[in-house]
């Protein structure tokens, strides 16, 4: 089965944001999630960007997978591919260095790797549990992944299964461990756990070749509007 609908991504991301946020509201055409460092708005169908930007007093990121880029003088604009991979087994057996995080200490390590690996300036310096609260460990559908290299935590990501698809989020490798196949290893480990589910993600330019090599297809080019 070929999955080529961007709604697969939007549905998953909306449910993920509702779970991770301190407060989240579904306004019909968009979901607004209050995160510790920023207000995240995800469009569920086309809507004007200007009023949404004006309606948030502080830092905000708006994600729109539906429309062309709109003028937004007060925001930085970035275009990123939205990708989907049909259900299927891993491309290769994942190495033993990839583990699923199951406790708060492990989550704190994975959180630090993700924040430092991107990096995410809004979450630095890293405060344990600020970006990824421990309560997520007990919620259905959430899994956290950590890859080790030479015994050191080196790459991490999290996935969210909404019952229809698995979203991959925040896949990052620390700078000193890059080009060792750790991102690929985490993805293959996740594919192994969810062989009957399609996967979806937003790709950075650096990650695009990896995702394409693993069977992901671009289904939309999302516009991200960010105001600090």
């Amino acid at each position: 089965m070929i999955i080529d609908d961007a709604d697969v991504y939007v549905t998953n991301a909306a449910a993920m944001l509702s779970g991770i946020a301190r407060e989240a509201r579904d306004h019909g055409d968009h979901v607004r999630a209050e995160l510790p460092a920023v207000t995240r708005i995800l469009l569920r169908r086309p809507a004007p960007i200007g009023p949404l930007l004006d309606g948030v007093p502080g830092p905000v990121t708006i994600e729109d997978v539906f429309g062309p880029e709109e003028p937004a003088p007060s925001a930085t604009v970035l275009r990123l591919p939205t990708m989907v991979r049909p259900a299927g087994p891993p491309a290769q057996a994942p190495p033993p260095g990839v583990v699923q995080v199951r406790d708060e200490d492990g989550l704190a390590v994975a959180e630090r790797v993700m924040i430092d690996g991107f990096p995410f300036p809004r979450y630095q310096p890293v405060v344990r549990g600020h970006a990824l609260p421990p309560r997520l460990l007990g919620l259905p559908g959430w899994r956290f992944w950590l890859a080790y290299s030479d015994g050191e935590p080196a790459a991490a990501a999290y996935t969210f299964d909404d019952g229809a698809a698995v979203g991959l989020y925040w896949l990052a490798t620390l700078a000193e461990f890059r080009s060792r196949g750790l991102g690929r290893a985490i993805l293959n480990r996740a594919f192994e756990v969810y062989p009957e589910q399609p996967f979806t993600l937003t790709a950075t330019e650096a990650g695009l070749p990896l995702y394409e090599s693993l069977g992901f297809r671009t289904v939309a080019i999302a516009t991200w509007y960010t105001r600090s």
Side-chain angles (χ1 to χ4, degrees):
M1 177 174 63
I2 296 178
I3 306 294
D4 61 2
D5 192 347
D7 283 338
V8 172
Y9 169 80
V10 172
T11 299
N12 187 276
M16 183 278 296
L17 285 172
S18 296
I20 200 172
R22 297 176 298 181
E23 179 184 355
R25 293 184 180 180
D26 191 334
H27 295 269
D29 61 352
H30 70 277
V31 171
R32 174 169 168 162
E34 302 297 338
L35 303 179
V38 64
T39 297
R40 275 286 308 274
I41 295 176
L42 173 72
L43 266 61
R44 303 197 73 158
R45 58 177 180 263
I49 297 300
L52 294 175
L53 281 169
D54 294 341
V56 179
V60 58
T61 296
I62 300 174
E63 182 180 359
D64 177 11
V65 305
F66 300 104
E69 179 182 330
E70 294 187 21
S74 65
T76 300
V77 178
L78 184 65
R79 301 272 284 171
L80 296 171
T82 298
M83 308 187 80
V84 174
R85 176 189 187 267
Q92 61 191 69
V98 179
V99 299
Q100 181 184 339
V101 171
R102 300 181 185 275
D103 58 37
E104 293 186 14
D105 289 340
L107 178 59
V109 174
E111 178 184 43
R112 178 186 59 78
V113 171
M114 291 181 227
I115 292 172
D116 288 345
F118 259 92
F120 289 127
R122 281 199 177 110
Y123 291 109
Q124 292 175 328
V126 178
V127 177
R128 176 172 171 151
H130 191 57
L132 298 174
R135 61 177 175 78
L136 297 174
L137 291 166
L139 296 182
W142 290 80
R143 291 180 188 256
F144 300 88
W145 309 95
L146 186 58
Y148 288 83
S149 181
D150 299 329
E152 297 291 329
Y158 70 87
T159 54
F160 177 71
D161 174 17
D162 65 10
V166 178
L168 177 81
Y169 300 94
W170 285 18
L171 177 62
T173 302
L174 295 176
E176 61 268 33
F177 296 106
R178 289 174 186 161
S179 301
R180 300 188 187 187
L182 298 174
R184 182 180 298 272
I186 287 176
L187 278 161
N188 278 313
R189 180 73 179 95
F191 298 155
E192 185 179 62
V193 172
Y194 296 105
E196 298 181 358
Q197 294 277 71
F199 273 70
T200 184
L201 55 81
T202 294
T204 62
E205 182 178 354
L208 188 61
L210 168 64
Y211 301 136
E212 289 179 335
S213 74
L214 290 170
F216 284 88
R217 298 172 58 248
T218 297
V219 296
I221 301 296
T223 306
W224 291 63
Y225 303 85
T226 299
R227 187 189 65 222
S228 300

